[in-house]
Amino acid sequence: QKCNLNSTMKFNYKLHRLCGASYGTPLSTTSGGSNVIYTTKGDVLLSPVSNRVQCIDLLTHSVRTLPFEARSDISKIALSPNDTLLLAIDVNDRAILLNYHRGVVLHRFRFKGGKVRCLKFSPDGLFFAVSAGKHVQVWHSPGLRREFAPFVLHRTYTGLNDDIISIDWSSDSSVLIASSRDTTARIWTVHTTKDYVPVTLSGHKSPVVGVFLEEDENDIRVVTKNKRRIGKCYTVSEDGTLATWTCERHDDDQNEDESGGALSSFKASSDAAVDFFSGGNGGSTALALPSSFPDDDDAALQSQAHGLVGATWKLSKRHYFKQERATVTSASYSTRHKLLVIGFSTGLFGLYELPDVSNVHTLSISTGSVRTTAINPTGEWIAFGCPSTRQLLVWEWRSETYVLKQRGHAGGMKCMSYSPDGVIIATGGEDGKLKIWNANTGFCHATMDAHNAAAVTAVTFANSSVVLTSSLDGTVKAHDLHRYRTFRTYTTPNPAQFISLAVDPAGEVIAAGTADPFHIYIYSLQSGKLLDVMTGHAGPVCDLSFHPVRGTLASASWDGTAKVWDLYKREVATEEFGHSADVVCCSFRPDGDELCTGTIGGILSFWNVEDGSLRCEIDGQRDITGGRKNNDRMTANNNAASRYFTSVCYSADGNCVIAGGNSKYICIYEISQQMLLKKFQISFNRSLDGVLDELNSKNLADGGPIDEMEYSGDEADNNHLPGAKRRDDGSRKSRVEVLTMQVAFSSTGREWATVSNEGLHVYSLDDDMIFDPILLTEAVTPGAVQSNLRSGQYGTALVMSLHLNEFALIRQVIEDTPYGSIPHVVRSVGPEHLERLLQCVSKCMADSPHVEFYVQWCLELLQTHGMHMEKHRGSFMRAFRAMHKSVQTRHDELKSVSDNNRYTLDFMEDQTKLLLSAD
């Protein structure tokens, strides 16, 4: 039981990030995308992807995924002004309230009354406004504590005749404006204000997609919080019309003051009473001091809402954005910097400076419509989102450069592979493109047109700088990651479609399997020649795997067999492993002594490579069974035959295997005990098909299921082609099935990744969740570690900190150890602590400025314990690869810096020589 608990804790992986999609909903034909928002500082961008939210740090150029999932695809998000509360609403109007910093879900709620199309917090953070059909609901902002009913409705505002599509607040949160599809906009006060009547602005011929309130800069009267009265309002319609509305006031306060102070005092007291009993701003203050009423006009204006009493709105100016065959799809405005950003349906955007409406920039950034725009608080960066192409761009308008430019695979991701050092992830998609991702940051830094005619079916690394891809177009291509170009193409004598690919450990021989005529083609990577053609299978060769040490190749085929080929010995007979069902995947153990195969029956078979005997079998059909699609006539339990593993991979030590396939689950098994250690569900998104195990009976009719997902046609680009097999099934409403195409462990063993219809899911170990102390006694305490450090007993302190397994304490001991004492401390570490110390040194080196110090630690560990690590390479392989990854990453960083400063260093060296020669 202790062993099982230990294994489970070591495989306690959590979703770290979702790569492959930075914005939008992958493979969706109905969702129109969500809005993107900046944090208060303006250096972090929040972007919804499916039912998750990505946090993109634009300064460190890294991305992380918030640890929560909505029930369905997210349609709108909003962040409170102090960056503490995040509110996300999905396409079914179900909301999630989240503590943004901690990533904890505080409450779940469903808005009723109509479709939610816009959402925005008030500037003071006390309220948030949400559209509910043709009404606007203002709610009190909840706190950070968990409550039974944190959402309290303040008021519902009416007066518009169609769905509301835009909302804006005044700077002091006392005035609210909303626009509708009925071509009008309406202005309300948040609290009841005496003598104020809501105003409707009508002057457009098409729906108003953006409304913005602005203070009057020429007004000398200041209301509370140093805010001026509202002076202007801008409205933007779909037909490209910008209307400027001016607030005109008929002030007669001066006449009232001349007539006497008694009337002014009585009016002020009555206004204060109305505000108090209606919940208005400043009412409590006025009633708290009944004996001192305001005598001047400035004090009488308690909010911007009072400044609108008796005022009239006049259409002062119109401006037309002249873009042929283009409609306005998004608009955002920065009142501080007077910048207006307009997004068009043709992929254009325009940047204008108000109030003169002078055009600063007009550029084309995409082939699809720009559905969302956002300006950061500093006014430097503009974010754009294009859901049809799944593009997310951040543009700095002053320097006219891209800060961020990310785009996912068109049509979805199909295959992936880790580089040997675990720093790079290569993915291939249905669009025939190859994308290179940084495993540390989660960003794509290179995109190559690998195959123009067909999808990429397999991708693998020959070495850290060469990646290979195969495609249905009948070619295998080799790509150089230094120059980012294709340097060799491999073809067949007769046309064939490649569906599997493998490369030998030396990176010199390439093997590619075909769907028809069931052959395996062997190529030389250097010369590009076809070396051999392996025949013998009677079905498509769907998977290939090279032996880690010897030159043997394992192949899996739909003919129900797995074969092991010796590529260098012609006289050796091919060994065949028979199965009772079609074989769809295979993989060698890292030491090469065992072969794992998977069949469509959901069974994983483990074979002894030496004698060809079957060691054990794991029936995973019950583990992977789950999920009922809308068109399934049987329940999930009775439809287990369609669930099986299509990809399998060993862990670095070879004791466990991870498997995924035609299901929403991914399983990790312990081989010797034939036991399920961990099962992951890759998505809980109900917008995907096959997530729920049981369907709601009210949605089942005689003719089949009734889809409860209701999308309006204006939210998506309905450019569907009836009869299309890829990316679109021709229907107006379709759901993508949840499944995984491939799984793979990183060489470090600290993370693994899987390819699904949502993108590339990267799972990593959360160190804070792992508590695995060893050899603890009463004398082993943090205080004892600190005492040994002060007395100079660094070896004892290190061993005690390793016993406690607290990373912060281990790092302190390592960094407090003097440089000259490193060899002596390393010799005091026993073999039982070696793997743990290697992992800690690797993690410390990844973000430490003391590069030479940690390189010395790595050198001493290898020189002192290298022989022991070589004899037990299976146990130390994961830790060694983690150390190699850290060293390689720091080497690349230093090399890049040195190359950039090469001429400066040469100049300093020459100057030093001149000074020395002069002396």
Side-chain angles (χ1 to χ4, degrees):
Q1 183 178 3
K2 181 179 180 181
C3 177
N4 297 343
L5 178 61
N6 189 18
S7 300
T8 304
M9 294 170 68
K10 287 184 178 180
F11 285 97
N12 193 14
Y13 292 91
K14 302 293 182 182
L15 180 67
H16 185 51
R17 63 174 61 95
L18 176 63
C19 302
S22 297
Y23 173 75
T25 304
L27 299 181
S28 175
T29 59
T30 53
S31 177
S34 175
N35 61 318
V36 295
I37 56 176
Y38 284 98
T39 57
T40 303
K41 293 183 179 180
D43 55 357
V44 177
L45 180 67
L46 303 184
S47 174
V49 178
S50 297
N51 64 332
R52 296 179 173 91
V53 176
Q54 303 273 57
C55 296
I56 303 172
D57 195 327
L58 300 176
L59 294 181
T60 61
H61 209 66
S62 60
V63 60
R64 68 182 180 94
T65 304
L66 292 180
F68 83 98
E69 286 189 67
R71 287 168 56 102
S72 304
D73 293 336
I74 295 177
S75 62
K76 296 297 175 184
I77 60 173
L79 187 65
S80 61
N82 56 357
D83 293 347
T84 57
L85 295 177
L86 176 64
L87 188 61
I89 302 179
D90 63 13
V91 294
N92 293 324
D93 302 333
R94 295 184 181 272
I96 290 182
L97 180 66
L98 186 78
N99 187 328
Y100 170 68
H101 296 291
R102 296 183 178 271
V104 178
V105 177
L106 301 178
H107 190 66
R108 296 178 183 267
F109 185 76
R110 182 172 185 178
F111 290 101
K112 300 179 181 180
K115 181 68 177 177
V116 176
R117 299 184 184 276
C118 47
L119 169 69
K120 192 171 185 179
F121 273 93
S122 62
D124 59 5
L126 298 179
F127 302 96
F128 67 89
V130 59
S131 66
K134 58 184 180 180
H135 303 319
V136 177
Q137 297 177 354
V138 174
W139 299 73
H140 291 276
S141 297
L144 293 176
R145 295 182 178 180
R146 290 188 174 180
E147 303 175 9
F148 175 73
F151 288 89
V152 178
L153 180 63
H154 170 68
R155 189 170 297 174
T156 300
Y157 301 88
T158 61
L160 296 173
N161 299 318
D162 206 341
D163 290 342
I164 294 172
I165 53 180
S166 180
I167 291 176
D168 192 31
W169 292 84
S170 63
S171 56
D172 70 341
S173 306
S174 63
V175 179
L176 182 68
I177 184 172
S179 65
S180 172
R181 294 191 182 280
D182 63 358
T183 71
T184 63
R186 191 170 177 84
I187 303 175
W188 303 274
T189 58
V190 177
H191 303 284
T192 301
T193 303
K194 187 175 182 295
D195 297 333
Y196 178 76
V197 178
V199 178
T200 300
L201 306 179
S202 178
H204 290 280
K205 298 180 181 180
S206 61
V208 181
V209 298
V211 288
F212 312 101
L213 293 173
E214 189 178 58
E215 298 179 4
D216 188 358
E217 296 181 351
N218 299 323
D219 189 10
I220 61 175
R221 307 180 68 175
V222 178
V223 297
T224 57
K225 304 178 184 178
N226 295 325
K227 306 294 184 182
R228 291 183 173 88
R229 293 186 295 182
I230 298 175
K232 291 182 180 180
C233 173
Y234 300 103
T235 57
V236 182
S237 60
E238 283 187 357
D239 58 1
T241 303
L242 170 64
T244 303
W245 305 82
T246 305
C247 181
E248 297 182 351
R249 298 176 179 84
H250 306 284
D251 295 332
D252 55 352
D253 297 336
Q254 184 177 359
N255 298 332
E256 292 181 1
D257 292 340
E258 293 177 355
S259 61
L263 182 60
S264 176
S265 300
F266 176 78
K267 182 178 180 180
S269 61
S270 60
D271 290 346
V274 171
D275 287 339
F276 176 78
F277 289 107
S278 61
N281 296 335
S284 58
T285 304
L287 293 183
L289 300 173
S291 60
S292 57
F293 296 108
D295 294 333
D296 55 349
D297 296 335
D298 294 342
L301 291 177
Q302 300 161 356
S303 66
Q304 291 178 341
H306 290 80
L308 297 180
V309 176
T312 58
W313 290 89
K314 179 181 179 181
L315 179 61
S316 59
K317 186 169 56 175
R318 289 180 184 268
H319 180 82
Y320 299 95
F321 306 110
K322 297 180 181 179
Q323 298 294 336
E324 296 183 359
R325 300 178 181 179
T327 59
V328 176
T329 54
S330 60
S332 61
Y333 178 60
S334 174
T335 56
R336 177 181 175 186
H337 302 90
K338 303 295 186 294
L339 293 176
L340 176 66
V341 181
I342 302 296
F344 297 95
S345 59
T346 56
L348 291 172
F349 85 92
L351 178 62
Y352 303 89
E353 187 176 2
L354 299 183
D356 299 331
V357 200
S358 57
N359 188 3
V360 181
H361 292 291
T362 300
L363 294 175
S364 176
I365 57 175
S366 176
T367 58
S369 62
V370 182
R371 286 288 179 178
T372 179
T373 58
I375 308 175
N376 73 330
T378 60
E380 299 173 344
W381 297 336
I382 305 174
F384 306 96
C386 306
S388 60
T389 58
R390 289 175 292 282
Q391 278 183 294
L392 180 66
L393 305 100
V394 178
W395 194 62
E396 186 176 359
W397 64 274
R398 288 190 175 92
S399 61
E400 300 184 15
T401 57
Y402 283 107
V403 179
L404 175 70
K405 191 175 183 181
Q406 294 290 305
R407 181 177 182 176
H409 284 283
M413 195 177 295
K414 195 171 182 64
C415 53
M416 57 82 60
S417 178
Y418 271 102
S419 63
D421 54 6
V423 179
I424 296 174
I425 303 176
T427 61
E430 291 278 358
D431 54 359
K433 296 185 183 296
L434 172 68
K435 288 184 177 290
I436 308 299
W437 306 82
N438 190 315
N440 296 325
T441 62
F443 279 111
C444 173
H445 58 83
T447 301
M448 290 179 281
D449 292 329
H451 305 272
N452 297 325
V456 177
T457 56
V459 59
T460 186
F461 279 87
N463 51 59
S464 58
S465 61
V466 176
V467 62
L468 303 170
T469 58
S470 64
S471 174
L472 295 176
D473 61 0
T475 61
V476 175
K477 294 187 178 182
H479 311 274
D480 186 2
L481 296 186
H482 289 308
R483 298 176 179 86
Y484 296 109
R485 64 181 182 88
T486 303
F487 66 90
R488 188 154 285 122
T489 301
Y490 310 89
T491 59
T492 58
N494 298 318
Q497 291 182 328
F498 290 111
I499 59 175
S500 58
L501 184 66
V503 63
D504 73 325
E508 298 178 355
V509 179
I510 305 172
T514 61
D516 190 16
F518 319 141
H519 294 168
I520 302 174
Y521 294 87
I522 309 298
Y523 299 95
S524 172
L525 177 63
Q526 297 295 333
S527 63
K529 295 181 179 180
L530 179 62
L531 301 179
D532 200 356
V533 179
M534 317 297 291
T535 61
H537 279 296
V541 183
C542 54
D543 200 6
L544 296 171
S545 178
F546 266 98
H547 194 282
V549 181
R550 299 195 297 266
T552 55
L553 174 68
S555 61
S557 174
W558 290 3
D559 59 3
T561 62
K563 297 179 182 291
V564 177
W565 316 77
D566 197 322
L567 302 182
Y568 303 105
K569 298 180 181 179
R570 303 288 298 180
E571 65 276 4
V572 178
T574 301
E575 191 168 3
E576 182 177 311
F577 304 98
H579 298 76
S580 59
D582 297 354
V583 185
V584 291
C585 58
C586 66
S587 178
F588 273 107
R589 202 168 65 179
D591 58 3
D593 294 339
E594 189 175 82
L595 176 66
C596 177
T597 59
T599 66
I600 61 174
I603 297 177
L604 296 178
S605 303
F606 299 89
W607 305 85
N608 190 333
V609 178
E610 295 296 332
D611 56 9
S613 61
L614 180 63
R615 290 183 174 177
C616 62
E617 286 185 344
I618 297 178
D619 188 357
Q621 195 171 55
R622 291 184 176 271
D623 300 328
I624 202 174
T625 298
R628 181 180 179 182
K629 295 183 290 185
N630 281 351
N631 295 326
D632 287 345
R633 300 303 179 184
M634 296 181 291
T635 61
N637 294 331
N638 296 331
N639 196 22
S642 62
R643 307 299 182 186
Y644 54 88
F645 298 113
T646 59
S647 179
V648 65
C649 180
Y650 277 92
S651 60
D653 55 6
N655 295 328
C656 301
V657 66
I658 183 171
N662 189 19
S663 174
K664 61 181 179 179
Y665 294 116
I666 293 178
C667 303
I668 297 181
Y669 293 98
E670 207 280 331
I671 301 173
S672 61
Q673 302 294 330
Q674 305 175 28
M675 179 179 58
L676 177 66
L677 293 180
K678 196 80 173 180
K679 186 165 70 170
F680 302 90
Q681 183 171 341
I682 60 172
S683 179
F684 293 88
N685 188 2
R686 298 190 182 185
S687 297
L688 300 176
D689 203 6
V691 173
L692 295 177
D693 292 335
E694 296 180 357
L695 300 180
N696 196 336
S697 59
K698 74 175 184 180
N699 296 325
L700 297 178
D702 296 337
I706 303 174
D707 192 1
E708 63 177 0
M709 306 287 290
E710 295 182 358
Y711 300 95
S712 63
D714 56 276
E715 289 191 358
D717 296 329
N718 293 323
N719 299 323
H720 305 311
L721 298 177
K725 297 297 184 182
R726 195 192 302 174
R727 298 182 58 188
D728 186 13
D729 61 354
S731 63
R732 292 307 175 188
K733 292 183 180 179
S734 62
R735 284 189 178 184
V736 180
E737 183 181 359
V738 55
L739 52 86
T740 58
M741 276 70 79
Q742 189 174 354
V743 293
F745 265 110
S746 172
S747 58
T748 61
R750 302 293 297 176
E751 66 182 29
W752 58 270
T754 180
V755 173
S756 75
N757 286 326
E758 290 185 315
L760 179 66
H761 302 251
V762 179
Y763 288 77
S764 63
L765 285 176
D766 188 357
D767 296 320
D768 296 334
M769 299 295 294
I770 299 177
F771 178 68
D772 188 17
I774 55 176
L775 301 177
L776 276 183
T777 62
E778 295 181 357
V780 180
T781 61
V785 174
Q786 301 291 345
S787 177
N788 284 304
L789 278 179
R790 289 191 295 268
S791 60
Q793 299 179 5
Y794 304 106
T796 305
L798 180 60
V799 173
M800 296 178 89
S801 63
L802 290 172
H803 286 172
L804 291 171
N805 195 26
E806 294 184 9
F807 174 73
L809 193 61
I810 297 173
R811 182 167 189 165
Q812 180 185 359
V813 174
I814 291 175
E815 295 187 349
D816 288 350
T817 302
Y819 186 83
S821 302
I822 293 177
H824 308 289
V825 175
V826 170
R827 294 189 187 98
S828 65
V829 178
E832 65 276 7
H833 304 131
L834 188 57
E835 182 186 5
R836 199 177 302 266
L837 180 58
L838 287 172
Q839 293 281 6
C840 293
V841 170
S842 304
K843 186 176 179 181
C844 293
M845 187 178 181
D847 57 354
S848 174
H850 312 296
V851 179
E852 183 182 0
F853 180 77
Y854 281 104
V855 169
Q856 184 66 23
W857 271 97
C858 297
L859 181 61
E860 293 295 337
L861 285 169
L862 294 178
Q863 290 178 346
T864 306
H865 302 281
M867 296 298 297
H868 178 77
M869 293 170 61
E870 178 66 23
K871 294 179 181 179
H872 305 83
R873 61 167 55 193
S875 302
F876 294 97
M877 186 60 66
R878 185 175 68 174
F880 175 77
R881 286 174 175 171
M883 184 180 67
H884 179 267
K885 176 182 177 181
S886 299
V887 173
Q888 184 67 35
T889 302
R890 302 316 297 267
H891 173 268
D892 295 340
E893 293 175 354
L894 289 175
K895 182 181 178 182
S896 176
V897 173
S898 300
D899 292 342
N900 294 334
N901 298 333
R902 181 178 60 184
Y903 298 107
T904 304
L905 295 174
D906 292 342
F907 172 77
M908 295 175 63
E909 183 181 3
D910 294 341
Q911 290 295 319
T912 304
K913 291 180 179 179
L914 290 175
L915 292 175
L916 292 176
S917 62
D919 295 339

